[in-house]
Amino acid sequence: MCSIGELAQSAGVTVKTVRFYSDRGLLPEACRSAGGHRRYGPEAADRLRLIRSLRALGLPVPDVRRVLDEEAAGERALEDAVAGQLREVASGLKALRWREAGLRLVQECPPGERAERLRLVGAVTAAPSTDVLVRFWRAWLPARMPAGAAAQFLEAAVPQPPDEPAPGQVLAFARLCALVAAPCTGGAPPQPHAHHEAGARGAAVLYGGLAEAYELAAVALRRNGAPQPGEALDCFVAAYASAYGTRDSAGFRRRLAGQLGSDPRLDRYWELVAEVVTPPGGRPEPTAGVAHDWLLAALTAPAAAPAAAPAGRGSGAG
């Protein structure tokens, strides 16, 4: 047996620290002396060292208690607690990197632009959130669109902020958030024609087909290919035909080209998305908006008549 002072000295901590852990049940005392002083058994020193190690890793007292209580039963309490702390550390590091890039953005810009950049960057949290982008698209999509289809669309349309951003990426993300947060004329985002014609369930079919068409168009875009008829365009038209409940034909393509040409444009959104996701010196990946524009240009090309008349799979995000 040892006293509280002897235990504290052996572990290199203060008596106050030992008493703190004892009072919270992390370091049980073996007994009390005749004078009411705490006495600890030989295992207390190892337990105290383990407690200090867990606390040094940042584990809060409740997690330390779970680790100590479940250690003998072979539970995964320690693994889970450490994993949780790692997630917190990663989140904190990302916030610091965004803060650093934001500071560099202000430091390196011309004096005449600092006020605007301070306003833009100040509106973005240190750990950037995409909530404002998600709200924008949810207001833009049909209200009763199936949840799974809406989630798939949001995954493609909402860029994830990079963990280690360059100042330019921070500026692009701040501008993107400011763009979608600006009030729309009439109080609601303008809707493409397809949302009215296809309805909520038709829109789900439409966006599922468009995702495939955009991927096919992205292949040509990476090769710097000019817009032209082919598999990507056929898939693009088929998505609309399926959503509208009709068939692909030369007449349908002419009507579709007219509709898409008059739909509201979101070009600035996609330009900023490309800046957010492209690291400095990297080659921009084709966004859904860029792929949509490529396909629309292919649709309006002179030789855009269908090679066949496939039954389609089911508005563009251009």
Coordinates of all heavy atoms in Angstrom, one line a residue, residues 115-209:
A115 N -10.8 44.6 -48.9 CA -12.1 44.8 -48.2 C -13.1 43.7 -48.8 O -13.8 43.1 -48.0 CB -12.7 46.2 -48.5
E116 N -13.1 43.6 -50.1 CA -14.0 42.6 -50.7 C -13.7 41.1 -50.3 O -14.5 40.3 -49.9 CB -14.0 42.7 -52.2 CG -15.0 41.7 -52.9 CD -14.7 41.5 -54.3 OE1 -13.7 42.0 -54.8 OE2 -15.4 40.7 -55.0
R117 N -12.4 40.9 -50.3 CA -11.9 39.5 -49.9 C -12.2 39.2 -48.4 O -12.5 38.1 -48.1 CB -10.5 39.3 -50.3 CG -10.3 39.3 -51.8 CD -8.9 38.8 -52.2 NE -8.7 38.8 -53.6 CZ -7.7 38.3 -54.3 NH1 -6.7 37.7 -53.6 NH2 -7.6 38.3 -55.6
L118 N -12.0 40.2 -47.6 CA -12.3 40.0 -46.2 C -13.8 39.7 -46.0 O -14.1 38.8 -45.2 CB -11.9 41.3 -45.4 CG -10.5 41.4 -45.0 CD1 -10.2 42.8 -44.4 CD2 -10.1 40.3 -43.9
R119 N -14.6 40.4 -46.7 CA -16.1 40.2 -46.6 C -16.4 38.7 -47.1 O -17.2 38.0 -46.4 CB -16.8 41.2 -47.5 CG -18.3 41.0 -47.5 CD -19.0 42.0 -48.4 NE -18.5 42.0 -49.7 CZ -18.9 41.1 -50.6 NH1 -19.8 40.2 -50.3 NH2 -18.5 41.1 -51.9
L120 N -15.8 38.3 -48.2 CA -16.1 37.0 -48.7 C -15.6 35.9 -47.8 O -16.4 35.0 -47.5 CB -15.5 36.8 -50.1 CG -16.2 37.6 -51.3 CD1 -15.3 37.6 -52.5 CD2 -17.5 37.0 -51.6
V121 N -14.3 36.0 -47.4 CA -13.7 35.0 -46.6 C -14.4 34.9 -45.2 O -14.5 33.9 -44.6 CB -12.2 35.2 -46.5 CG1 -11.6 34.2 -45.6 CG2 -11.6 35.0 -47.9
G122 N -14.7 36.1 -44.7 CA -15.3 36.2 -43.4 C -16.7 35.5 -43.3 O -17.1 35.1 -42.2
A123 N -17.3 35.3 -44.5 CA -18.6 34.6 -44.5 C -18.5 33.1 -44.5 O -19.5 32.4 -44.4 CB -19.5 35.1 -45.7
V124 N -17.3 32.6 -44.7 CA -17.1 31.2 -44.7 C -16.4 30.7 -43.4 O -15.5 31.3 -43.0 CB -16.1 30.8 -45.9 CG1 -15.9 29.3 -45.9 CG2 -16.8 31.2 -47.2
T125 N -17.0 29.7 -42.8 CA -16.5 29.2 -41.5 C -15.1 28.6 -41.7 O -14.7 28.2 -42.8 CB -17.4 28.2 -40.9 OG1 -17.5 27.1 -41.9 CG2 -18.7 28.8 -40.6
A126 N -14.3 28.6 -40.7 CA -12.9 28.1 -40.7 C -12.9 26.6 -41.2 O -12.1 26.2 -41.9 CB -12.2 28.2 -39.4
A127 N -13.9 25.8 -40.7 CA -14.1 24.5 -41.2 C -15.3 24.6 -42.2 O -16.4 24.6 -41.8 CB -14.5 23.5 -40.1
P128 N -15.0 24.7 -43.5 CA -16.0 25.2 -44.5 C -17.2 24.2 -44.5 O -17.0 22.9 -44.5 CB -15.3 25.2 -45.8 CG -14.1 24.4 -45.6 CD -13.7 24.5 -44.2
S129 N -18.4 24.7 -44.6 CA -19.6 23.9 -44.7 C -20.2 24.1 -46.1 O -20.2 25.2 -46.6 CB -20.6 24.3 -43.6 OG -21.8 23.7 -43.8
T130 N -20.8 23.0 -46.6 CA -21.5 23.1 -47.9 C -23.0 23.2 -47.7 O -23.7 23.0 -48.7 CB -21.2 21.8 -48.7 OG1 -21.6 20.6 -48.0 CG2 -19.7 21.7 -49.0
D131 N -23.4 23.5 -46.5 CA -24.9 23.5 -46.3 C -25.6 24.5 -47.2 O -26.7 24.3 -47.7 CB -25.1 23.9 -44.8 CG -24.8 22.8 -43.9 OD1 -24.5 21.7 -44.3 OD2 -24.8 23.0 -42.6
V132 N -25.0 25.7 -47.4 CA -25.6 26.7 -48.3 C -25.8 26.2 -49.7 O -26.7 26.5 -50.4 CB -24.9 28.0 -48.2 CG1 -23.5 27.9 -48.8 CG2 -25.6 29.2 -48.9
L133 N -24.8 25.4 -50.2 CA -24.9 24.9 -51.5 C -26.0 23.8 -51.6 O -26.7 23.8 -52.6 CB -23.5 24.3 -51.9 CG -22.3 25.2 -51.8 CD1 -21.0 24.4 -52.2 CD2 -22.5 26.4 -52.7
V134 N -26.1 23.0 -50.6 CA -27.1 21.9 -50.5 C -28.5 22.6 -50.5 O -29.4 22.2 -51.2 CB -26.9 21.0 -49.3 CG1 -28.1 20.1 -49.2 CG2 -25.6 20.2 -49.5
R135 N -28.6 23.6 -49.7 CA -30.0 24.3 -49.7 C -30.3 24.9 -51.0 O -31.5 24.9 -51.4 CB -29.9 25.4 -48.6 CG -30.0 24.9 -47.2 CD -30.3 26.0 -46.2 NE -29.3 27.1 -46.2 CZ -28.3 27.1 -45.4 NH1 -28.0 26.1 -44.6 NH2 -27.4 28.1 -45.4
F136 N -29.3 25.5 -51.7 CA -29.6 26.0 -53.0 C -30.2 25.0 -54.0 O -31.2 25.2 -54.7 CB -28.3 26.6 -53.6 CG -28.4 27.0 -55.1 CD1 -29.0 28.2 -55.4 CD2 -27.9 26.2 -56.0 CE1 -29.1 28.5 -56.8 CE2 -28.0 26.5 -57.4 CZ -28.6 27.7 -57.7
W137 N -29.5 23.8 -54.0 CA -29.9 22.8 -55.0 C -31.2 22.1 -54.5 O -32.0 21.7 -55.4 CB -28.8 21.7 -55.1 CG -27.7 22.2 -56.0 CD1 -26.4 22.5 -55.6 CD2 -27.7 22.5 -57.4 NE1 -25.6 22.9 -56.6 CE2 -26.4 23.0 -57.8 CE3 -28.7 22.5 -58.4 CZ2 -26.1 23.3 -59.1 CZ3 -28.4 22.8 -59.7 CH2 -27.1 23.3 -60.0
R138 N -31.4 22.0 -53.3 CA -32.7 21.4 -52.8 C -33.9 22.3 -53.2 O -35.0 21.8 -53.5 CB -32.7 21.2 -51.3 CG -31.8 20.0 -50.9 CD -32.2 19.5 -49.5 NE -31.3 18.4 -49.1 CZ -31.6 17.1 -49.5 NH1 -32.6 16.8 -50.3 NH2 -30.8 16.1 -49.1
A139 N -33.7 23.6 -53.2 CA -34.7 24.5 -53.6 C -34.9 24.5 -55.2 O -36.0 24.8 -55.7 CB -34.4 26.0 -53.2
W140 N -33.8 24.1 -55.9 CA -33.8 24.1 -57.3 C -34.5 22.8 -57.8 O -35.2 22.8 -58.9 CB -32.4 24.2 -57.8 CG -32.3 24.4 -59.3 CD1 -32.4 25.6 -60.0 CD2 -31.9 23.4 -60.3 NE1 -32.2 25.4 -61.3 CE2 -31.9 24.1 -61.5 CE3 -31.7 22.1 -60.2 CZ2 -31.6 23.4 -62.7 CZ3 -31.4 21.4 -61.3 CH2 -31.3 22.0 -62.6
L141 N -34.2 21.7 -57.2 CA -34.8 20.4 -57.6 C -36.3 20.3 -57.3 O -36.8 21.1 -56.5 CB -34.1 19.3 -56.8 CG -32.6 19.0 -57.2 CD1 -32.0 18.0 -56.2 CD2 -32.5 18.5 -58.6
P142 N -37.0 19.5 -58.1 CA -38.4 19.3 -57.8 C -38.7 18.9 -56.3 O -37.9 18.1 -55.8 CB -38.9 18.2 -58.8 CG -37.9 18.3 -59.9 CD -36.6 18.7 -59.2
A143 N -39.7 19.4 -55.7 CA -40.0 19.3 -54.3 C -40.1 17.8 -53.9 O -39.7 17.4 -52.8 CB -41.2 20.1 -53.8
R144 N -40.8 17.0 -54.7 CA -41.1 15.6 -54.4 C -40.2 14.6 -55.1 O -40.6 13.4 -55.2 CB -42.6 15.3 -54.7 CG -43.5 16.1 -53.8 CD -45.0 15.7 -54.1 NE -45.4 16.2 -55.4 CZ -45.7 17.4 -55.7 NH1 -45.7 18.4 -54.8 NH2 -46.0 17.8 -57.0
M145 N -39.0 15.1 -55.5 CA -38.1 14.2 -56.1 C -37.7 13.1 -55.1 O -37.4 13.4 -53.9 CB -36.9 14.9 -56.6 CG -35.9 14.1 -57.4 SD -34.7 15.2 -58.2 CE -33.5 14.1 -58.8
P146 N -37.6 11.8 -55.5 CA -37.2 10.7 -54.5 C -35.9 11.1 -53.8 O -35.0 11.6 -54.5 CB -37.2 9.5 -55.4 CG -38.1 9.8 -56.5 CD -38.0 11.2 -56.8
A147 N -35.8 10.7 -52.6 CA -34.7 11.1 -51.8 C -33.4 10.5 -52.3 O -32.3 11.2 -52.3 CB -34.9 10.6 -50.3
G148 N -33.4 9.3 -52.8 CA -32.2 8.6 -53.3 C -31.6 9.4 -54.5 O -30.4 9.6 -54.7
A149 N -32.6 9.7 -55.4 CA -32.1 10.4 -56.6 C -31.6 11.8 -56.3 O -30.6 12.3 -56.9 CB -33.3 10.5 -57.6
A150 N -32.3 12.5 -55.3 CA -31.8 13.8 -55.0 C -30.4 13.7 -54.3 O -29.6 14.6 -54.6 CB -32.8 14.4 -54.0
A151 N -30.2 12.7 -53.5 CA -28.9 12.6 -52.8 C -27.8 12.3 -53.9 O -26.7 12.8 -53.8 CB -28.9 11.5 -51.8
Q152 N -28.1 11.5 -54.9 CA -27.1 11.2 -55.9 C -26.8 12.5 -56.7 O -25.6 12.7 -57.0 CB -27.7 10.2 -56.9 CG -26.7 9.7 -57.9 CD -27.3 8.6 -58.8 OE1 -28.5 8.3 -58.8 NE2 -26.4 8.0 -59.6
F153 N -27.8 13.3 -57.0 CA -27.6 14.6 -57.7 C -26.7 15.5 -56.8 O -25.8 16.1 -57.4 CB -28.9 15.2 -58.0 CG -28.7 16.6 -58.6 CD1 -28.5 16.7 -60.0 CD2 -28.7 17.7 -57.9 CE1 -28.3 18.0 -60.6 CE2 -28.5 19.0 -58.4 CZ -28.3 19.1 -59.8
L154 N -27.0 15.6 -55.6 CA -26.3 16.5 -54.7 C -24.8 16.1 -54.6 O -23.9 17.0 -54.5 CB -26.9 16.6 -53.3 CG -28.3 17.3 -53.2 CD1 -28.9 17.0 -51.9 CD2 -28.2 18.7 -53.5
E155 N -24.6 14.8 -54.6 CA -23.2 14.4 -54.5 C -22.4 14.8 -55.7 O -21.2 15.2 -55.6 CB -23.2 12.8 -54.4 CG -21.8 12.2 -54.2 CD -21.8 10.7 -54.1 OE1 -22.9 10.2 -54.0 OE2 -20.7 10.1 -54.1
A156 N -23.0 14.9 -56.9 CA -22.3 15.4 -58.1 C -22.3 16.9 -58.2 O -21.3 17.4 -58.7 CB -23.0 14.8 -59.3
A157 N -23.3 17.6 -57.7 CA -23.4 19.0 -57.9 C -22.7 19.8 -56.8 O -22.3 21.0 -57.1 CB -24.9 19.4 -58.0
V158 N -22.5 19.3 -55.6 CA -21.9 20.0 -54.5 C -20.5 19.6 -54.3 O -20.2 18.5 -54.0 CB -22.7 19.8 -53.2 CG1 -22.1 20.5 -52.0 CG2 -24.2 20.3 -53.4
P159 N -19.5 20.5 -54.6 CA -18.1 20.2 -54.4 C -17.7 20.1 -53.0 O -18.2 20.9 -52.1 CB -17.4 21.4 -55.1 CG -18.3 22.5 -54.9 CD -19.7 22.0 -55.0
Q160 N -16.8 19.1 -52.7 CA -16.3 19.0 -51.3 C -15.1 19.9 -51.2 O -14.1 19.8 -52.0 CB -16.0 17.6 -51.0 CG -17.2 16.7 -51.0 CD -18.2 17.2 -50.0 OE1 -17.9 17.5 -48.8 NE2 -19.4 17.3 -50.4
P161 N -15.0 20.8 -50.2 CA -13.8 21.7 -50.0 C -12.6 20.8 -49.8 O -12.6 19.9 -49.1 CB -14.2 22.5 -48.8 CG -15.7 22.4 -48.7 CD -16.1 21.0 -49.2
P162 N -11.5 21.2 -50.5 CA -10.2 20.4 -50.3 C -9.7 20.5 -48.8 O -9.9 21.5 -48.2 CB -9.3 21.0 -51.3 CG -9.8 22.4 -51.5 CD -11.3 22.3 -51.4
D163 N -9.0 19.5 -48.4 CA -8.5 19.5 -47.0 C -7.3 20.5 -46.9 O -7.1 21.1 -45.8 CB -8.0 18.1 -46.6 CG -9.1 17.1 -46.4 OD1 -10.3 17.6 -46.2 OD2 -8.9 15.9 -46.5
E164 N -6.5 20.7 -47.9 CA -5.4 21.6 -47.9 C -5.5 22.6 -49.0 O -4.9 22.4 -50.1 CB -4.1 20.8 -48.0 CG -3.9 19.8 -46.9 CD -2.5 19.1 -47.0 OE1 -1.6 19.6 -47.5 OE2 -2.4 17.9 -46.4
P165 N -6.4 23.6 -48.9 CA -6.7 24.5 -50.0 C -5.5 25.5 -50.2 O -4.8 25.9 -49.3 CB -7.9 25.2 -49.5 CG -7.7 25.3 -48.0 CD -7.1 23.9 -47.6
A166 N -5.4 25.9 -51.5 CA -4.6 27.1 -51.8 C -5.5 28.3 -51.6 O -6.7 28.2 -51.6 CB -4.2 27.0 -53.3
P167 N -4.9 29.5 -51.5 CA -5.7 30.7 -51.3 C -6.7 30.9 -52.4 O -7.9 31.3 -52.1 CB -4.6 31.8 -51.3 CG -3.4 31.2 -50.8 CD -3.4 29.8 -51.3
G168 N -6.4 30.6 -53.7 CA -7.3 30.7 -54.7 C -8.5 29.8 -54.6 O -9.7 30.2 -55.0
Q169 N -8.4 28.6 -54.0 CA -9.5 27.7 -53.8 C -10.4 28.2 -52.7 O -11.6 28.1 -52.8 CB -9.0 26.3 -53.5 CG -8.3 25.6 -54.6 CD -7.7 24.3 -54.2 OE1 -6.7 24.3 -53.5 NE2 -8.2 23.2 -54.7
V170 N -9.8 28.9 -51.7 CA -10.6 29.5 -50.6 C -11.5 30.6 -51.2 O -12.7 30.7 -50.9 CB -9.7 30.0 -49.5 CG1 -10.5 30.8 -48.5 CG2 -9.0 28.8 -48.8
L171 N -10.9 31.4 -52.1 CA -11.6 32.5 -52.7 C -12.7 32.0 -53.6 O -13.8 32.5 -53.5 CB -10.6 33.4 -53.5 CG -11.2 34.6 -54.2 CD1 -11.9 35.5 -53.2 CD2 -10.2 35.3 -55.0
A172 N -12.4 31.0 -54.3 CA -13.5 30.4 -55.2 C -14.6 29.8 -54.4 O -15.8 30.0 -54.8 CB -12.9 29.3 -56.1
F173 N -14.3 29.1 -53.3 CA -15.4 28.6 -52.5 C -16.2 29.7 -51.8 O -17.4 29.6 -51.8 CB -14.8 27.7 -51.4 CG -15.8 26.9 -50.6 CD1 -16.4 25.8 -51.1 CD2 -16.2 27.4 -49.4 CE1 -17.4 25.1 -50.4 CE2 -17.2 26.7 -48.6 CZ -17.8 25.6 -49.1
A174 N -15.5 30.7 -51.4 CA -16.3 31.9 -50.8 C -17.2 32.5 -51.8 O -18.3 32.9 -51.5 CB -15.3 32.9 -50.2
R175 N -16.7 32.7 -53.0 CA -17.5 33.3 -54.1 C -18.7 32.4 -54.4 O -19.8 32.8 -54.8 CB -16.6 33.6 -55.3 CG -15.7 34.8 -55.1 CD -14.8 35.0 -56.3 NE -14.1 36.3 -56.2 CZ -13.0 36.6 -56.9 NH1 -12.5 35.7 -57.8 NH2 -12.5 37.8 -56.8
L176 N -18.4 31.1 -54.4 CA -19.5 30.1 -54.7 C -20.6 30.2 -53.7 O -21.8 30.2 -54.0 CB -18.9 28.7 -54.8 CG -19.8 27.6 -55.2 CD1 -20.3 27.8 -56.6 CD2 -19.1 26.2 -55.1
C177 N -20.2 30.3 -52.4 CA -21.2 30.4 -51.4 C -22.0 31.7 -51.5 O -23.2 31.7 -51.3 CB -20.6 30.3 -50.0 SG -19.9 28.6 -49.6
A178 N -21.3 32.8 -51.8 CA -21.9 34.1 -52.0 C -22.9 34.1 -53.2 O -24.0 34.7 -53.1 CB -20.9 35.2 -52.1
L179 N -22.5 33.4 -54.2 CA -23.3 33.3 -55.4 C -24.7 32.6 -55.1 O -25.7 33.1 -55.5 CB -22.6 32.5 -56.5 CG -23.4 32.2 -57.8 CD1 -23.6 33.5 -58.6 CD2 -22.7 31.2 -58.7
V180 N -24.7 31.5 -54.5 CA -25.9 30.8 -54.2 C -26.7 31.4 -53.1 O -27.9 31.1 -53.0 CB -25.7 29.3 -53.9 CG1 -24.9 28.6 -55.1 CG2 -24.9 29.1 -52.6
A181 N -26.1 32.2 -52.2 CA -26.8 32.8 -51.1 C -27.5 34.1 -51.6 O -28.4 34.6 -50.9 CB -25.8 33.1 -50.0
A182 N -27.1 34.6 -52.7 CA -27.7 35.9 -53.2 C -29.2 35.6 -53.5 O -29.6 34.6 -54.0 CB -27.0 36.4 -54.4
P183 N -30.1 36.5 -53.2 CA -31.5 36.3 -53.4 C -31.8 36.2 -54.9 O -31.2 36.9 -55.7 CB -32.2 37.6 -52.8 CG -31.1 38.6 -52.7 CD -29.8 37.8 -52.5
C184 N -32.7 35.3 -55.3 CA -33.1 35.1 -56.7 C -34.2 36.1 -57.0 O -35.1 36.4 -56.2 CB -33.5 33.7 -56.9 SG -32.3 32.5 -56.7
T185 N -34.3 36.5 -58.3 CA -35.4 37.3 -58.8 C -36.7 36.5 -58.6 O -36.8 35.4 -59.1 CB -35.2 37.7 -60.2 OG1 -33.9 38.3 -60.4 CG2 -36.3 38.6 -60.7
G186 N -37.7 37.1 -58.0 CA -38.9 36.4 -57.8 C -38.9 35.5 -56.5 O -40.0 35.0 -56.2
G187 N -37.8 35.4 -55.8 CA -37.8 34.8 -54.5 C -37.4 33.3 -54.6 O -37.3 32.6 -53.6
A188 N -37.3 32.7 -55.8 CA -37.0 31.3 -55.9 C -36.1 31.1 -57.1 O -36.1 31.8 -58.1 CB -38.3 30.4 -56.1
P189 N -35.3 30.0 -57.0 CA -34.4 29.8 -58.2 C -35.2 29.5 -59.4 O -36.2 28.8 -59.4 CB -33.6 28.5 -57.7 CG -33.7 28.5 -56.3 CD -35.1 29.1 -56.0
P190 N -34.7 30.0 -60.6 CA -35.4 29.6 -61.8 C -35.3 28.2 -62.1 O -34.3 27.5 -61.9 CB -34.7 30.5 -62.9 CG -33.3 30.7 -62.3 CD -33.5 30.8 -60.8
Q191 N -36.4 27.6 -62.7 CA -36.5 26.2 -62.9 C -36.3 25.9 -64.4 O -36.8 26.6 -65.2 CB -37.8 25.6 -62.4 CG -38.1 25.8 -61.0 CD -37.2 24.9 -60.1 OE1 -37.2 23.7 -60.3 NE2 -36.5 25.5 -59.2
P192 N -35.6 24.8 -64.7 CA -35.5 24.4 -66.1 C -36.8 23.8 -66.6 O -37.7 23.4 -65.8 CB -34.4 23.3 -66.1 CG -34.4 22.8 -64.7 CD -34.8 23.9 -63.9
H193 N -37.1 23.8 -67.9 CA -38.3 23.4 -68.5 C -38.6 21.9 -68.1 O -39.8 21.5 -67.9 CB -38.3 23.5 -70.0 CG -39.6 23.2 -70.7 ND1 -40.0 22.0 -71.0 CD2 -40.6 24.1 -71.1 CE1 -41.2 22.0 -71.6 NE2 -41.6 23.3 -71.6
A194 N -37.6 21.1 -68.0 CA -37.7 19.7 -67.7 C -38.4 19.4 -66.4 O -39.1 18.4 -66.3 CB -36.4 19.0 -67.8
H195 N -38.2 20.3 -65.4 CA -38.8 20.1 -64.1 C -40.3 20.2 -64.2 O -41.1 19.4 -63.5 CB -38.3 21.1 -63.1 CG -36.9 20.8 -62.7 ND1 -36.3 21.6 -61.7 CD2 -36.0 19.9 -63.0 CE1 -35.0 21.1 -61.5 NE2 -34.8 20.1 -62.3
H196 N -40.8 21.0 -65.1 CA -42.3 21.2 -65.2 C -42.9 20.1 -66.1 O -44.0 19.6 -65.8 CB -42.6 22.6 -65.8 CG -42.0 23.7 -65.1 ND1 -42.4 24.1 -63.8 CD2 -41.0 24.6 -65.4 CE1 -41.7 25.1 -63.4 NE2 -40.8 25.4 -64.3
E197 N -42.1 19.7 -67.1 CA -42.7 18.7 -68.0 C -42.5 17.3 -67.5 O -43.4 16.4 -67.7 CB -42.0 18.8 -69.4 CG -42.6 17.9 -70.4 CD -42.2 18.3 -71.8 OE1 -41.8 19.4 -72.0 OE2 -42.4 17.5 -72.8
A198 N -41.4 17.0 -66.8 CA -41.2 15.6 -66.4 C -41.8 15.3 -65.0 O -42.1 14.2 -64.7 CB -39.7 15.3 -66.3
G199 N -41.9 16.3 -64.1 CA -42.4 16.1 -62.8 C -41.3 15.5 -61.9 O -40.1 15.3 -62.3
A200 N -41.6 15.3 -60.6 CA -40.6 14.9 -59.6 C -40.0 13.5 -60.0 O -38.8 13.3 -60.0 CB -41.2 14.9 -58.2
R201 N -40.9 12.5 -60.3 CA -40.3 11.2 -60.6 C -39.6 11.2 -61.9 O -38.6 10.5 -62.1 CB -41.5 10.2 -60.5 CG -42.1 10.0 -59.1 CD -42.8 8.7 -58.9 NE -43.1 8.6 -57.5 CZ -42.3 8.1 -56.6 NH1 -41.1 7.7 -56.9 NH2 -42.7 8.0 -55.3
G202 N -40.2 11.9 -62.9 CA -39.5 12.0 -64.2 C -38.1 12.6 -64.0 O -37.2 12.2 -64.7
A203 N -38.0 13.6 -63.1 CA -36.7 14.3 -62.9 C -35.7 13.3 -62.3 O -34.5 13.3 -62.7 CB -36.9 15.5 -62.0
A204 N -36.2 12.4 -61.5 CA -35.3 11.4 -60.9 C -34.7 10.5 -62.1 O -33.5 10.2 -62.1 CB -36.0 10.5 -59.9
V205 N -35.6 10.1 -63.0 CA -35.1 9.3 -64.1 C -34.2 10.1 -65.0 O -33.2 9.6 -65.5 CB -36.4 8.8 -65.0 CG1 -35.9 8.1 -66.2 CG2 -37.2 7.9 -64.1
L206 N -34.5 11.4 -65.2 CA -33.7 12.3 -66.0 C -32.3 12.4 -65.5 O -31.3 12.2 -66.2 CB -34.4 13.6 -66.1 CG -33.6 14.8 -66.7 CD1 -33.3 14.5 -68.2 CD2 -34.3 16.1 -66.6
Y207 N -32.2 12.7 -64.2 CA -30.8 13.0 -63.7 C -30.0 11.7 -63.6 O -28.8 11.7 -63.7 CB -30.9 13.6 -62.3 CG -31.3 15.1 -62.4 CD1 -32.5 15.6 -62.0 CD2 -30.4 16.0 -63.1 CE1 -32.8 16.9 -62.1 CE2 -30.8 17.3 -63.2 CZ -32.0 17.8 -62.7 OH -32.3 19.1 -62.9
G208 N -30.7 10.5 -63.4 CA -29.9 9.3 -63.5 C -29.3 9.1 -64.8 O -28.2 8.6 -65.0
G209 N -30.1 9.4 -65.9 CA -29.6 9.2 -67.2 C -28.5 10.3 -67.6 O -27.6 10.0 -68.3

